[in-house]
Amino acid sequence: MERSSLISGFYKLNPKERLRLVKEFANLSQEECDLLQNTGSLPMSLADRMIENVVGVFPIPVGIAVNFLINGADYLVPMAIEEPSVVAAASYAAKMVRDGGGFHTSSTPPVMIGQIQTVSVKDPEAARQRVLEAKETILRKANEQDPVLVSAGGGAKNLDAKVIDTAAGPMLITELYVDCRDAMGANAVNTMAEAIASTVENLTGGHVYLRIISNLATKRLAQAQCVVPKESVGGEEVVDGIVYASAFAEADPYRAATHNKGAMNGIIAVILATGNDHRAIEAGAHAYAALKGQYTSLSKWEKTEKGDLRGSIELPMAVGLIGGAVRTHPIAKVAMKILGVRTANEFAEVLAAVGLAQNLAALRALAHEGIQRGHMSLHARNIAAAAGAPEDIVNLVAERMVKERKIRMDRAIELIKELSADES
Ligand code: NAD
C-alpha cells in the first residue's frame, strides 16, 4: 500500500483511531503503541483536549532542586528535564549561595506588551498623534474585554505608538501595556489587541494586520542577585575563573549563547514542570540578551572587595499561576504546590534565582574541573542504557567507563558483553 501523510479528518478521530493509522504508516509494534498510550498521570481524555491530533503522552523525569533560600524563605524547586546533572547542579549552586545568605530578588509589575500593526497610513506621524490622544478611549475598550483581569487589579494601563521603517514601507505600531497580574497573559492581551483594532483603523485611516502579544517582555522583568563566599565556591582562583568566564560571555555572542543556555537549563525545567510556556520564556530571554544590538550574557559575575563572588541576572519572565496548562495539567498543579509561590511575581523571581544558580554551577564546573567531570557519571549511565545494558549491570558498565575515562557507545557494548559473560 502507498504511504501518504495526507489524511483527511485525522483530527476528528479519537487517539486510539489516530494511533492505528500511525501504526500502519510507521510500522509500529503493539508494544510501541502501548508505550505512547500509557498515559500515567495525564489521562488521555485530558491530553486530547490540550492539543490537537493527540496519539499519546511523553513522560519526562521530574526532580526536585533543594537548598534554595530566596529573600529569606526556603523553596523546593520542581524541575522537569531530560538532561542529566541539571537538578544536581542547581541544588549544589543553591547550597553555595546559601552560605552567602541566599538569593535576593526583585521584579517589575507583570506588564505585557500587545502590538497592533497598521499599514498604508497616509501620514504616519499625524496618525500616531491621533492614537495617543485617544488613549483613554482605547484603554477603556481594551479593558471591557476582560472584567475578571480588571477586577484582579490588572488590565490595560497605558499605550504608546511608534512609526517604524520596514522593507514593506512605514508602519504605525500601537503598543498596549497590559498588567496581567497572575496570568502569563497571551490570550488576555491578544483578545484586547484584536478588540481595539477597529478603533485604531478609524483613527489612522490605515489597515490593521497583526494584533498580538510581544514575547520581548521588557516591562515584565525579574532580577536575582547573590554573593557567594570565596571559600564556598572553591577559593580565589575559582572566583577569578568565573569572573573571566563572565567577561568572555559578555563580550562574545558565541560564548554568550552557551552561557545563557546554562541559565535556561534550570529556568525551562521549572517552566515545564509548572505547565508554563517555555517557548515564550526562551524567545523573551534571547531577544532581551540581544536588545542592545549585540547578543550578550543575561548574567554578570564580579569579585567583591573581600574577594567573594557577586552574581546578578535580569531577564523577562512572562509566567502565570493560572491560564494555559497551569491549572489543567495534574502534574503542573502538584509542582506549583511544591514550589508554593503565591503570585506570578514571586514565581518570576524564583525563576530568576534558579537561572542564576544554574549559571553559577556551570561556570564553576568550567572554571574549576571542566564540565565533563560533573556530567560524567549520569552521562555514562545514559550511554550504558542506550547501548542496551540490562538494569542489573547499568551502574557497573557506567562506573567502568568513568574509571577508564572512555564514555563511549563502543566501549559500553564491549563492557556489556564482558560483564554479561562474567555473570553467566
Ligand atoms: P488564560 O486566558 O487561560 O487565562 C488568563 C485569564 O484568567 C485572564 O484573562 C483573566 O480573565 C483570568 N484571571 C482570573 N484570575 C486572574 C488573576 N488573578 N490574574 C490574572 N488573570 C486572572 O491564559 P493567558 O495567561 O492569557 O494565556 C496564556 C496561554 O497563551 C499560554 O498557554 C500560552 O502558551 C498561550 N499563547 C502564547 C502566545 C505567545 O506567547 N506568543 C500566543 C498565543 C497563546
Side-chain angles (χ1 to χ4, degrees):
M1 199 182 72
E2 185 85 351
R3 284 185 349 149
S4 173
S5 65
L6 185 66
I7 308 175
S8 91
F10 190 72
Y11 71 98
K12 290 185 197 156
L13 304 176
N14 67 40
K16 268 205 159 52
E17 293 166 337
R18 288 185 203 121
L19 188 56
R20 205 173 303 133
L21 294 178
V22 177
K23 185 182 179 197
E24 256 173 52
F25 185 92
N27 196 22
L28 298 182
S29 67
Q30 189 51 47
E31 200 185 353
E32 286 165 333
C33 292
D34 292 346
L35 284 177
L36 274 167
Q37 300 225 320
N38 183 0
T39 58
S41 308
L42 183 62
M44 190 64 87
S45 53
L46 183 52
D48 199 29
R49 282 201 301 275
M50 286 176 74
I51 64 161
E52 309 75 36
N53 293 1
V54 167
V55 296
V57 298
F58 185 100
I60 55 173
V62 175
I64 302 289
V66 295
N67 306 328
F68 274 84
L69 182 67
I70 305 172
N71 303 325
D74 274 282
Y75 293 86
L76 289 178
V77 180
M79 291 182 156
I81 187 158
E82 87 301 342
E83 186 177 344
S85 301
V86 171
V87 181
S91 305
Y92 182 60
K95 180 105 191 304
M96 289 190 279
V97 173
R98 212 180 167 94
D99 293 342
F103 297 92
H104 300 281
T105 64
S106 54
S107 55
T108 64
V111 173
M112 298 299 288
I113 303 168
Q115 295 191 303
I116 297 101
Q117 173 204 33
T118 316
V119 303
S120 310
V121 181
K122 280 210 182 70
D123 182 347
E125 200 39 57
R128 186 179 94 86
Q129 283 306 324
R130 286 197 295 281
V131 167
L132 293 177
E133 279 157 21
K135 178 167 123 179
E136 294 311 322
T137 313
I138 296 174
L139 294 183
R140 199 176 322 115
K141 191 158 183 192
N143 282 326
E144 281 167 10
Q145 313 308 312
D146 203 335
V148 177
L149 182 59
V150 173
S151 71
K157 301 287 185 189
N158 206 347
L159 66 73
D160 205 350
K162 63 187 181 190
V163 178
I164 59 168
D165 279 322
T166 78
M171 292 173 191
L172 177 68
I173 310 298
T174 304
E175 291 186 335
L176 196 60
Y177 302 142
V178 184
D179 184 322
C180 296
R181 293 287 92 201
D182 290 327
M184 180 266 177
N187 288 323
V189 172
N190 294 347
T191 307
M192 288 184 182
E194 285 180 16
I196 63 172
S198 59
T199 311
V200 171
E201 277 190 338
N202 291 339
L203 287 164
T204 60
H207 185 74
V208 167
Y209 277 100
L210 271 54
R211 300 146 292 170
I212 177 94
I213 196 165
S214 169
N215 289 113
L216 178 50
T218 51
K219 295 194 175 292
R220 193 175 192 175
L221 300 173
Q223 299 96 3
Q225 295 96 35
C226 64
V227 174
V228 192
K230 55 177 178 292
E231 301 77 28
S232 302
V233 85
E236 219 159 297
E237 217 173 297
V238 183
V239 170
D240 288 341
I242 292 173
V243 172
Y244 276 124
S246 176
F248 180 11
E250 195 175 347
D252 178 27
Y254 287 87
R255 175 58 211 151
T258 320
H259 178 101
N260 292 341
K261 192 273 181 185
M264 299 314 281
N265 269 343
I267 292 172
I268 294 302
V270 185
I271 294 287
L272 203 55
T274 55
N276 271 266
D277 183 338
H278 54 91
R279 289 82 55 206
I281 299 301
E282 283 283 3
H286 298 295
Y288 192 63
L291 198 58
K292 290 187 181 143
Q294 175 172 312
Y295 186 86
T296 186
S297 49
L298 291 163
S299 68
K300 307 266 173 292
W301 294 93
E302 58 197 7
K303 200 162 152 173
T304 67
E305 275 176 16
K306 283 167 62 190
D308 296 331
L309 184 66
R310 182 188 296 118
S312 60
I313 191 168
E314 178 181 85
L315 73 169
M317 201 56 85
V319 288
L321 305 184
I322 52 164
V326 185
R327 293 247 176 117
T328 50
H329 195 298
I331 300 293
K333 286 194 275 188
V334 180
M336 272 300 185
K337 191 167 176 188
I338 295 170
L339 196 58
V341 291
R342 282 143 302 194
T343 63
N345 272 78
E346 184 186 353
F347 185 23
E349 293 181 23
V350 167
L351 285 159
V354 170
L356 193 58
Q358 209 72 59
N359 180 229
L360 169 62
L363 296 186
R364 184 185 175 279
L366 281 168
H368 191 39
E369 57 199 10
I371 203 87
Q372 279 313 93
R373 194 167 142 215
H375 268 101
M376 239 178 328
S377 57
L378 271 170
H379 175 56
R381 276 181 56 91
N382 279 348
I383 294 282
E391 193 58 37
D392 56 331
I393 61 164
V394 167
N395 283 339
L396 223 51
V397 174
E399 277 163 24
R400 284 279 296 271
M401 289 197 293
V402 170
K403 212 163 153 197
E404 295 171 6
R405 294 189 161 261
K406 243 190 240 172
I407 304 172
R408 298 193 320 240
M409 193 67 98
D410 56 327
R411 185 59 188 143
I413 292 169
E414 282 170 13
L415 284 167
I416 294 167
K417 276 197 202 131
E418 202 178 293
L419 292 165
S420 305
D422 285 356
E423 282 195 352
S424 57

